[in-house]
Amino acid sequence: MSSGSERTTVRTYIPAYQKEQWQAHAEELDMSQSEFVRTMVQAGRSGFEPAASETTESDAAESESEEPRSPDATPGGNGLKDRVQNILADGDYYEWDDLVAELTDGIEERLEEALQELQSNNKVQYSGRHGGYVRDE
């Protein structure tokens, strides 16, 4: 295995619309596309770690590398579980709708901003006649 500081290229093929989505998400997070993809892959991998007894020498070397894992890596919905527990930590009872509201706080504003940006970039258009949004191809 190579040293932790040596870099190499990884190439994959995805649909154009997915690349556009990744680019937009990377921009929202103020990340380069490479940094975004690397972080998302690492986040996904953390849900597939071998058991401690199955850890290999290369796994140990990787964990000591310079690049830390994303602190919010939450594959399999663990992040949602953590957020629910944090909300309920105050000891109050929350109804279903209250929990949904807490978990989706700010999503409407983020969605509106995303749609405005997509419309201004001619990626999405709204049709009053059809009552909704559609990709502008």
Side-chain angles (χ1 to χ4, degrees):
M1 174 143 195
S2 306
S3 69
S5 62
E6 186 178 327
R7 295 190 176 266
T8 187
T9 301
V10 175
R11 181 175 280 176
T12 187
Y13 296 91
I14 58 174
Y17 76 89
Q18 190 171 41
K19 181 177 181 183
E20 291 171 4
Q21 290 173 341
W22 289 2
Q23 285 174 321
H25 197 178
E27 287 175 13
E28 288 174 21
L29 297 172
D30 196 29
M31 300 171 93
S32 70
Q33 189 166 356
S34 293
E35 181 182 18
F36 174 79
V37 171
R38 189 171 49 251
T39 301
M40 294 302 115
V41 169
Q42 284 302 105
R45 286 187 64 229
S46 68
F48 297 96
E49 293 297 320
S53 62
E54 299 173 16
T55 301
T56 65
E57 191 175 305
S58 63
D59 292 333
E62 182 177 321
S63 67
E64 295 171 2
S65 70
E66 296 174 16
E67 190 171 324
R69 291 182 184 216
S70 173
D72 60 350
T74 55
N78 293 335
L80 180 59
K81 292 175 190 173
D82 292 342
R83 290 180 61 197
V84 169
Q85 287 182 327
N86 288 337
I87 293 166
L88 298 176
D90 62 13
D92 291 340
Y93 286 87
Y94 286 78
E95 293 182 9
W96 176 266
D97 290 339
D98 295 333
L99 278 173
V100 170
E102 288 286 329
L103 292 168
T104 59
D105 184 41
I107 190 71
E108 289 181 9
E109 291 83 13
R110 290 173 37 212
L111 175 59
E112 184 176 8
E113 289 171 10
L115 285 170
Q116 287 175 349
E117 183 177 333
L118 289 167
Q119 288 180 88
S120 68
N121 293 332
N122 297 320
K123 304 281 185 190
V124 168
Q125 67 177 343
Y126 178 78
S127 169
R129 188 172 111 202
H130 292 101
Y133 295 89
V134 67
R135 282 188 60 181
D136 191 6
E137 306 206 28

